[in-house]
Amino acid sequence: MTSLTPEAPAGLDHVRTIADAVLYEGYLLYPYRASSHKNRSRWQFGVLGPPHAAPGSFAEDPGMATQCLLSVPDEAPATGAGVSVRLRFLQLQVREVRRLDEDGGYTPVAGLDVAGVSVLSWDEAVECELDLGTVPLTGDGGSTDETCTVPGGEETEPLTDERGVTVGRVVRRREPLTARVRTRTTRDDGFLRLSVSVANEHAGTAADKDAAIRVSLIGTHLLLQAHGADFVSLREPPDEAAAAAARCQQRRCWPVLAGVKGSTDVVLAAPIILYDHPEIAEQSPGALFDSTEIDEILTLRVMTMTEEEKAEARATDPLAREIIERCDTMSAADLQRLHGLLRDPRSPVARAGASAVRPLTDLRDAEPAAFDTGGEPWWDPAADAAVSPESDVVVIEGVPVTKGSLVRVHPSRRADAQDLFFAGQVARVTAVLSDVDGGVHIALVLVDDPAADMHDWYGRYFYFAPDELEPLPAGDPRPDNGVSGTTDRPRSPEHRKENPS
């Protein structure tokens, strides 16, 4: 019935690489050492905590739920159409090092040096994958409800020195886990909505943070595979499915199409919001686990670690050891690949005389653009007479705004939480800039900022779009009617949409 199966069935091999990335994201944090404060707050994504945890344990919510949409042929009941459901997560495994005492007893310690090798206490993880069977896709709807258990356990490994004398042992412990998975199918506007909910049903009470994470489901996500039906993209639904897709609700996870581009038989419901058909970048030589951090930055940071720090990381976890060894042996060419590629941001356009415009393609499938400029820089702002941030002008509400102009800031795009503190503030424009895509950005410093002159000196500016600024007469930083962030001028429909509050 329900089995613990680490192997993925046929058809899911291509999905497993991205699913494993979700599973282990946050498992290890740079600098990958057990003594690091960062590694005392791991497991950031997809944690389903125990339902009866004490408030002081800071346990995560015990549940998550997803809804996805399927296009099911009329003959589906006769052909046995269905969706297989697989639940994947990590089970925490405590690795405790114990020192052998003179009286024959064992004392837990943070680590031991055994035959010149450090052995450290640490929280490891065991991969769990539960096969929930197949949910039938029938025209009259239906539901399933299943409770799954993952057993706990304890294993002991002796530690011996170079003479073969026992000096301690490693004890690995896992707490039993219980998960409840419910599914329901309902019709909606010609499509079938599949609802899947997962809940941690651990019966005991977790008194503290450590106890709570030990009985949590970690990195939890779902793999859904359709048979005799097709999933509908919720990110880019077809017009006829847009209304039904908008009615799908998600809680703590998001479903995207997975697998080979163009396929519609597999959905990954992950705690990290992804695009359809996500892939691991071909330039990435291996996992780094650190909360979606950039590969190149982490690799360079690993290369700066001291030999003592690297030794501790190797002793912390086998996966950390792999990271250290990979970064230490990385060639200059491999590191250069991590720097990324410059791809043409514009859609293909037919050249003069071409018979037809080429069809639009997914930019992720496009070859990197050559950008052949005959030896000249792709764009040299110092040599481009068409731009001059020092003197360029942008017209706002009929008023020319340039360097030195005074404006009042009305943040509306919410690009930065800090922008909220600038609402209603008077600022001085330091430059008017344009980007290669034709956008205009206005650099400014706040008039009342005591450090404004210093920011201006070293070029530390704040940037806003023209429609976020209100021109003011020169030398007239008048108060905003005593209410910061308010104005009587009309806001555009676009801003009302972006800022519904």
Side-chain angles (χ1 to χ4, degrees):
M1 191 171 169
T2 298
S3 58
L4 191 63
T5 52
E7 296 83 12
L12 290 181
D13 291 343
H14 189 77
V15 181
R16 176 167 286 277
T17 54
I18 190 67
D20 285 348
V22 170
L23 183 66
Y24 279 97
E25 199 60 57
Y27 171 71
L28 279 169
L29 305 176
Y30 173 85
Y32 305 117
R33 304 193 310 270
S35 62
S36 168
H37 287 284
K38 286 176 61 180
N39 280 307
R40 299 175 188 176
S41 299
R42 297 150 64 205
W43 326 109
Q44 292 92 331
F45 299 102
V47 178
L48 306 189
H52 306 298
S57 69
F58 300 101
E60 297 275 3
D61 187 286
M64 73 177 209
T66 187
Q67 290 185 334
C68 48
L69 213 58
L70 294 114
S71 175
V72 183
D74 294 336
E75 63 273 14
T79 59
V83 173
S84 59
V85 180
R86 301 181 76 85
L87 174 65
R88 305 179 78 233
F89 54 89
L90 294 176
Q91 177 186 29
L92 188 144
Q93 178 171 266
V94 177
R95 185 183 75 203
E96 185 178 75
V97 178
R98 298 179 182 178
R99 181 190 64 230
L100 177 62
D101 298 327
E102 293 182 357
D103 60 2
Y106 287 89
T107 300
V109 292
L112 280 178
D113 187 77
V114 181
V117 177
S118 293
V119 183
L120 305 177
S121 294
W122 175 250
D123 286 344
E124 304 171 329
V126 176
E127 294 182 23
C128 299
E129 187 166 315
L130 303 178
D131 183 354
L132 281 305
T134 300
V135 178
L137 301 179
T138 59
D140 55 357
S143 63
T144 65
D145 188 341
E146 186 168 358
T147 299
C148 320
T149 58
V150 177
E154 180 173 310
E155 293 88 32
T156 300
E157 172 190 350
L159 296 174
T160 57
D161 63 16
E162 60 273 13
R163 299 169 299 169
V165 177
T166 299
V167 295
R169 63 188 180 188
V170 175
V171 179
R172 291 179 168 87
R173 301 191 312 275
R174 299 175 304 282
E175 297 293 330
L177 303 176
T178 303
R180 184 181 182 183
V181 181
R182 286 173 282 190
T183 70
R184 185 178 71 258
T185 57
T186 54
R187 285 286 179 185
D188 187 344
D189 202 12
F191 295 89
L192 196 68
R193 178 180 295 110
L194 172 64
S195 304
V196 185
S197 65
V198 182
N200 185 341
E201 299 256 319
H202 181 73
T205 299
D208 56 33
K209 183 178 179 181
D210 289 339
I213 195 64
R214 289 170 185 170
V215 292
S216 296
L217 281 62
I218 301 167
T220 312
H221 59 277
L222 291 159
L223 285 178
L224 310 175
Q225 186 173 25
H227 311 278
D230 295 287
F231 285 107
V232 175
S233 170
L234 296 189
R235 290 184 61 89
E236 299 180 76
D239 292 343
E240 63 273 16
R247 287 189 285 271
C248 290
Q249 298 182 353
Q250 319 301 331
R251 185 165 69 90
R252 304 187 70 206
C253 64
W254 182 264
V256 295
L257 298 176
V260 179
K261 286 187 176 68
S263 62
T264 56
D265 63 324
V266 178
V267 154
L268 168 63
I272 302 172
I273 297 179
L274 304 168
Y275 47 81
D276 283 337
H277 303 109
E279 294 180 318
I280 301 297
E282 63 183 32
Q283 293 83 11
S284 178
L288 290 164
F289 309 115
D290 192 351
S291 300
T292 69
E293 184 56 270
I294 299 171
D295 281 21
E296 182 184 23
I297 294 175
L298 282 177
T299 300
L300 292 172
R301 291 300 301 159
V302 170
M303 290 179 173
T304 67
M305 293 168 62
T306 66
E307 291 304 316
E308 291 76 12
E309 291 171 332
K310 290 179 180 179
E312 183 187 343
R314 291 187 183 98
T316 295
D317 194 283
L319 295 177
R321 183 184 305 116
E322 291 179 13
I323 293 173
I324 300 299
E325 300 301 334
R326 185 172 67 244
C327 293
D328 276 353
T329 58
M330 185 171 291
S331 68
D334 291 335
L335 187 60
Q336 180 62 35
R337 280 166 54 85
L338 291 181
H339 196 60
L341 296 172
L342 182 61
R343 299 184 185 272
D344 190 347
R346 296 170 178 81
S347 302
V349 179
R351 293 186 176 88
S355 58
V357 175
R358 289 179 293 169
L360 297 180
T361 58
D362 190 326
L363 284 177
R364 289 172 287 164
D365 296 329
E367 289 298 319
F371 291 107
D372 184 6
T373 61
E376 296 298 323
W378 176 54
W379 181 66
D380 184 355
D384 190 346
V387 296
S388 176
E390 295 285 317
S391 59
D392 279 347
V393 175
V394 62
V395 177
I396 303 176
E397 298 180 356
V399 179
V401 172
T402 187
K403 181 179 179 179
S405 298
L406 293 179
V407 295
R408 190 179 302 282
V409 181
H410 299 283
S412 59
R413 302 194 176 192
R414 298 297 186 263
D416 191 325
Q418 186 175 235
D419 291 354
L420 296 173
F421 297 104
F422 298 161
Q425 296 290 320
V426 175
R428 175 171 51 84
V429 174
T430 59
V432 176
L433 306 106
S434 59
D435 59 34
V436 295
D437 295 319
V440 176
H441 311 274
I442 299 179
L444 50 82
V445 292
L446 300 180
V447 170
D448 292 336
D449 186 349
D453 290 341
M454 183 174 65
H455 292 328
D456 198 8
W457 174 70
Y458 61 74
R460 203 287 190 184
Y461 304 129
F462 302 108
Y463 296 88
F464 290 89
D467 51 17
E468 295 181 291
L469 304 176
E470 173 192 0
L472 296 177
D476 182 24
R478 63 187 186 279
D480 197 10
N481 298 324
V483 182
S484 177
T486 63
T487 179
D488 294 331
R489 66 192 184 115
R491 313 302 281 169
S492 68
E494 178 186 359
H495 285 166
R496 288 195 295 269
K497 178 180 179 181
E498 292 181 351
N499 182 25
S501 61

